[in-house]
Amino acid sequence: MDSDGTQDAHGTHATPVPRPAHAPPPAPPAGLPPVPRRPPGALSAVADWLSAPRPEAGLGIWRFRHVPPPEGDGGRQRMDRALVAGVAISLAIGLFLWSMWRQALIPYQGAIIRLFVRAEWFYPGTLSPRRDMWQGFEALTAVSGVFFGLLVYGVGRIGNWAEALRHVIARREQPGRAVRAAIGALIVLMFVWPEAFPGISWDPLPVATAVWSLTALFSGGYTIFQNEIVTYGLYVLITAAVLWPFAKLGDWAGLLRTWLARPRPAKNGAVPAPPRQPAPVVSRAQWPQLRGAGRDKAADVLSAAVLSGQMNDVDCVRVRRVWSTADGNPALRDAFDDMVQRQGGAAWTHPSGARDLPSRTATHDLLTGQVRIGRCVPEDRNPAGSRGAGVALESAALGTSLLAVGPSGAGKTERLVRPVVESLSLQALTGQCAVVAVCAAGTPLGGDDGYDVVVKIGDPASVHDLDLYAGTSDPDEAASFLAEGLVGDLAAVDSRRAATTLAQVLGPYWAAYGRFPSVPALRELLEGVPAALSGLHDALRSDEHAVMRRELDARVRQQGSAADPGPALADRLALLDRPAFAEFFDSGSDSPFSLRAVMHHPMRVRIDLPERGHGEASRLITRLVLAQFNSVVHSRGDREHFVCLVLDDATRTVTDETIQGIQRLRSVNAGVLLALRTVSDVPEALQGPLYATVGCRMAFSGVTTWDGRRFAEAWGTSWIETREVAQHAVFADQPMTRALHALRKLVTGKAVTRDAVTVRQVERERWSASELAHGVPAGHAVLSLTDVRGEHAPPLLVDLRG
């Protein structure tokens, strides 16, 4: 394990609940009792998962069974050297002063004592008690006791003994705290009552004797001690006064209450039944939200399914989501009851019929929508409240989009992209989101059976094709994102003029044929092939297409001009007009996949790109998918489920228009995850706007100082306290002091110096470019988060293997 257990969640491995859901076991033969599947009273894995605590925590903190770290150091750190020195020096001073007091060597000691005692109790001019005045002896004893108490209080304040005792005793966990306090009390009692401990011969501290003397002086004699109640009462009172501060430090009362509250065996030796707990009412496994609404039958069905293991985490979250929609509408409530009683935990299963993923590699908590990606390193640059805690991502953070930068082999795909895609896929099975993952063919993002649609561009065996026009019937919309995908990365071509050029072709073609052109046909129109243009012009001869003929005529007039973007568009389309992609982007295909579908359905989609031999085409397709995503996501009316686009390689994908689209994604319940090998894969003019647009930023181990500089600028600065120590030579004026300094220099070989400490607040970068490039260990990353509500999490150093 990577921590001492204070932050680790029990059972948070890659398969925290049984998957997939299974049918109940077969009934046993008649006459035989059923064989229990688990010990009586034990919860199923799903019930235990549902009932686990999930306390509120900061953004990015893994909440499943999260235990906030104790305040302060919990006594685990060493005592400060200055505190140790203060205790030792003050103790030495106290012993020295007490020795001088006992030998009457303190200046004006007699004069001070005479201020508080009567002169007739002593011989004239001395502090020797008269033999016939017993009060003199008792007065000296009482004064010594009072001086001892004041001395202990004074040196204790000077040496900060209270802080030392809190460090040694009060900041420990029980029962060690109580044991340490008891040992301290025993040591003090040995000095107060040495006669009570055989083998001890030292003189007692003037505590009890001072009390006896004061009692005798105020009572007028020793006769009061003939009363056993008074005598033994003083013994008890003195002992209690000594034990009281240690009992408070050791929290003996709290330990006693805990001990008394534990269950005890009955007199006959049997263990009594545990007391009734509010768990059956509060536990999520009993579906309290349904019982509170009077739906006990549905709650009983679901509780039985959970306890028997027939429901998994996906089923539980899916049913809870449906209930949150039905709650408040009586008609929907009745339909909910009917569906639950007929289908149980299998109700409202995803249209694919899947109730889980075929495999999981990350740790998920669907109840909070989190996926654990690592552990916050317990080091000084991380906030104290998050050190050692698990780090997780959720839809609220991905809704602000995430930019991850790291070289090849840093773990972007394995430790970030795949866990996120898994989490979003599981949430898609609950109806909460849709995910589109774009990656190179062969990227380990799960098998094909874990997705609803798999588009393998360039693979003849692919079931689905990619719709080049995203299912739209608006030529202007299609021209907009198609121009962005084709030439959005070219600084020499204006995307708006390119969109106008495409609209001048797509509009007439749609009007003539009721569909958009295929890639070869569109390429011919953009290149100005006479046969293609004349054929389209002939199809628009009717009067109703007069406007479209003018559009086509304007396109013909622009051909050959210096500002004509047609050749650039045609050249980029030539990358898709290859034999490997023959009829792959044909809008008339039998099974085209339109990105618009994920805006209306909780789908799991993976698009495989043909990286080998078609690198430019893959980047063009990725850029086109991002442009389509930005276009269709802002036009959808239903924004109930979250939609996320994951780009495993966003090289040369970001354009000025896509950055503006990403800025508006959080308002339409959508987000993107962009993974880059280096920031240089983004045009320099767009690097700053990109970092300002995304809300979550992640720098993996191995980034360069140039990449780190962008992260440092994005994360800004913070105020920290610095201590500067300057050593100044000490020059002595007195001959004796100079001799001592010379002797010290002769022994140590160093001149006598004095430390001058300057403490000030300065503004420093949270993470500098050099620290990001050279201070992030392998397998680690620095992650900052922002959610759609505006909550921020500072940059955290995360161990992605924890």
Side-chain angles (χ1 to χ4, degrees):
M1 297 181 66
D2 298 318
S3 67
D4 58 0
T6 59
Q7 307 298 327
D8 293 320
H10 302 289
T12 55
H13 43 77
T15 56
V17 295
R19 312 181 321 274
H22 50 268
L32 295 178
V35 179
R37 299 177 57 201
R38 61 184 63 87
L43 294 177
S44 68
V46 184
D48 181 64
W49 169 78
L50 271 176
S51 305
R54 293 167 176 84
E56 292 295 329
L59 178 63
I61 300 300
W62 175 254
R63 291 174 50 194
F64 183 80
R65 288 198 170 113
H66 170 65
V67 179
E71 296 182 2
D73 58 7
R76 288 187 290 270
Q77 296 181 356
R78 291 184 178 182
M79 193 183 302
D80 184 70
R81 251 187 288 180
L83 181 59
V84 175
V87 172
I89 293 173
S90 61
L91 181 61
I93 293 173
L95 293 175
F96 175 72
L97 291 177
W98 178 243
S99 177
M100 291 186 64
W101 173 271
R102 296 189 63 182
Q103 299 179 35
L105 297 179
I106 295 180
Y108 307 105
Q109 178 176 340
I112 295 173
I113 294 177
R114 291 191 188 94
L115 293 176
F116 301 98
V117 298
R118 295 183 180 182
E120 59 269 18
W121 292 347
F122 305 92
Y123 291 108
T126 67
L127 284 178
S128 299
R130 295 175 56 178
R131 294 184 177 179
D132 56 341
M133 290 289 182
W134 58 270
Q135 293 89 342
F137 294 97
E138 304 301 339
L140 289 178
T141 303
V143 170
S144 294
V146 172
F147 175 79
F148 178 79
L150 295 175
L151 180 63
V152 171
Y153 176 79
V155 297
R157 289 296 300 271
I158 294 173
N160 202 4
W161 289 7
E163 177 63 22
L165 288 174
R166 283 193 292 269
H167 183 94
V168 175
I169 298 176
R171 294 177 184 172
R172 305 289 169 169
E173 298 293 335
Q174 295 286 21
R177 176 181 178 181
V179 172
R180 286 172 178 251
I183 293 174
L186 183 63
I187 294 174
V188 174
L189 286 176
M190 289 172 62
F191 285 91
V192 175
W193 308 110
E195 64 275 5
F197 298 88
I200 296 179
S201 59
W202 57 62
D203 295 332
L205 294 177
V207 176
T209 54
V211 175
W212 304 129
S213 298
L214 287 173
T215 304
L217 288 173
F218 282 107
S219 63
Y222 300 114
T223 55
I224 190 173
F225 298 117
Q226 296 177 2
N227 189 334
E228 294 183 354
I229 296 178
V230 173
T231 302
Y232 289 106
L234 288 176
Y235 276 108
V236 173
L237 189 62
I238 295 170
T239 304
V242 173
L243 293 178
W244 178 79
F246 291 97
K248 189 174 180 181
L249 277 172
D251 193 21
W252 293 353
L255 183 63
L256 181 61
R257 286 193 297 269
T258 303
W259 182 79
L260 292 176
R262 82 185 198 284
R264 298 175 179 273
K267 293 182 179 180
N268 57 5
V271 178
R276 291 187 176 181
Q277 300 293 335
V281 178
V282 179
S283 173
R284 299 183 186 93
Q286 296 296 330
W287 300 86
Q289 65 273 32
L290 297 181
R291 301 185 188 278
R295 306 290 167 171
D296 292 334
K297 291 184 178 180
D300 291 339
V301 172
L302 295 175
S303 298
V306 169
L307 295 175
S308 63
Q310 298 180 45
M311 290 180 69
N312 62 4
D313 54 348
V314 175
D315 298 329
C316 294
V317 175
R318 186 183 63 250
V319 173
R320 286 170 61 92
R321 184 191 64 82
V322 175
W323 171 252
S324 65
T325 304
D327 192 16
N329 189 326
L332 294 179
R333 286 186 176 186
D334 294 338
F336 178 90
D337 278 357
D338 181 64
M339 180 67 75
V340 168
Q341 294 184 36
R342 284 191 292 109
Q343 299 187 12
W348 302 285
T349 302
H350 190 263
S352 65
R355 297 170 63 183
D356 200 355
L357 296 180
S359 63
R360 302 189 191 185
T361 60
T363 304
H364 304 272
D365 183 22
L366 291 182
L367 205 60
T368 58
Q370 290 185 318
V371 54
R372 179 165 176 157
I373 62 172
R375 182 179 63 91
C376 191
V377 178
E379 63 112 40
D380 293 339
R381 282 175 293 195
N382 287 336
S386 60
R387 295 172 190 169
V391 177
L393 292 176
E394 55 186 303
S395 299
L398 294 175
T400 63
S401 299
L402 189 151
L403 174 65
V405 179
S408 299
K412 300 188 299 298
T413 300
E414 177 186 358
R415 293 169 179 154
L416 175 65
V417 174
R418 179 161 185 176
V420 169
V421 171
E422 271 189 14
S423 177
L424 295 175
S425 297
L426 288 170
Q427 294 180 55
L429 295 179
T430 67
Q432 293 177 316
C433 82
V435 57
V436 179
V438 182
C439 60
T443 303
L445 292 186
D448 295 352
D449 51 353
Y451 295 89
D452 303 313
V453 174
V454 178
V455 181
K456 299 180 179 181
I457 298 178
D459 187 352
S462 177
V463 177
H464 297 276
D465 299 339
L466 181 64
D467 188 352
L468 203 63
Y469 305 99
T472 183
S473 59
D474 185 354
D476 291 327
E477 181 186 4
S480 176
F481 59 68
L482 194 57
E484 196 64 31
L486 292 175
V487 296
D489 62 326
L490 298 178
V493 180
D494 187 356
S495 296
R496 289 173 294 182
R497 291 183 62 87
T500 302
T501 299
L502 284 168
Q504 290 173 343
V505 175
L506 296 177
Y509 199 97
W510 178 272
Y513 302 107
R515 60 182 177 86
F516 289 121
S518 62
V519 171
L522 181 59
R523 180 185 177 186
E524 290 179 352
L525 291 173
L526 292 173
E527 288 177 340
V529 175
L533 290 173
S534 61
L536 180 58
H537 197 279
D538 292 341
L540 297 172
R541 286 182 177 179
S542 62
D543 294 339
E544 61 178 335
H545 298 316
V547 175
M548 291 304 168
R549 286 200 305 270
R550 287 198 300 270
E551 286 285 298
L552 188 59
D553 292 340
R555 171 71 202 125
V556 173
R557 289 193 300 270
Q558 291 176 0
Q559 286 182 358
S561 64
D564 181 19
L569 291 169
D571 289 344
R572 285 301 180 86
L573 273 175
L575 296 173
L576 303 181
D577 190 16
R578 305 294 300 166
F581 307 135
E583 300 182 357
F584 204 88
F585 300 102
D586 189 357
S587 60
S589 172
D590 295 334
S591 56
F593 166 71
S594 170
L595 202 63
R596 196 175 300 273
V598 301
M599 306 303 153
H600 307 288
H601 306 286
M603 301 179 63
R604 303 164 294 163
V605 180
R606 194 185 78 222
I607 301 176
D608 290 349
L609 303 175
E611 277 290 329
R612 294 183 180 179
H614 301 281
E616 280 297 323
S618 296
R619 284 187 280 272
L620 188 153
I621 295 170
T622 304
R623 191 164 52 249
L624 176 61
V625 170
L626 178 57
Q628 288 183 352
F629 182 83
N630 274 332
S631 177
V632 300
V633 77
H634 290 99
S635 62
R636 66 171 180 154
D638 181 11
R639 300 176 180 176
E640 290 186 0
H641 69 274
F642 177 68
V643 183
C644 188
L645 174 65
V646 180
L647 302 182
D648 184 60
D649 184 6
T651 301
R652 295 174 56 185
T653 300
V654 179
T655 64
D656 184 61
E657 292 295 328
T658 55
I659 287 180
Q660 295 180 19
I662 292 173
Q663 288 178 340
R664 304 190 300 270
L665 288 181
R666 68 176 67 185
S667 62
V668 294
N669 198 18
V672 297
L673 189 157
L674 306 174
L676 292 169
R677 295 183 182 90
T678 174
V679 184
S680 301
D681 293 334
V682 178
E684 187 174 358
L686 299 180
Q687 293 175 8
L690 175 61
Y691 276 85
T693 298
V694 297
C696 306
R697 309 173 188 93
M698 193 170 185
F700 283 77
S701 172
V703 296
T704 63
T705 52
W706 291 273
D707 294 344
R709 177 172 58 86
R710 286 296 186 185
F711 282 100
E713 293 173 353
W715 286 328
T717 59
S718 62
W719 290 97
I720 62 173
E721 183 180 280
T722 62
R723 296 170 59 89
E724 297 180 358
V725 180
Q727 292 184 340
H728 301 285
V730 178
F731 299 97
D733 297 330
Q734 301 298 326
M736 180 61 69
T737 307
R738 286 200 297 270
L740 291 175
H741 286 185
L743 178 61
R744 180 176 175 181
K745 183 176 181 180
L746 180 64
V747 173
T748 62
K750 297 180 181 179
V752 179
T753 59
R754 178 180 55 198
D755 291 343
V757 181
T758 303
V759 180
R760 57 180 179 176
Q761 296 283 334
V762 297
E763 195 174 9
R764 296 279 177 84
E765 291 180 329
R766 298 179 185 271
W767 279 86
S768 68
S770 179
E771 288 176 330
L772 289 171
H774 308 292
V776 180
H780 292 63
V782 181
L783 170 67
S784 68
L785 297 174
T786 304
D787 67 2
V788 293
R789 300 179 298 271
E791 184 180 352
H792 294 268
L796 303 174
L797 179 60
V798 181
D799 183 0
L800 300 175
R801 301 163 299 185

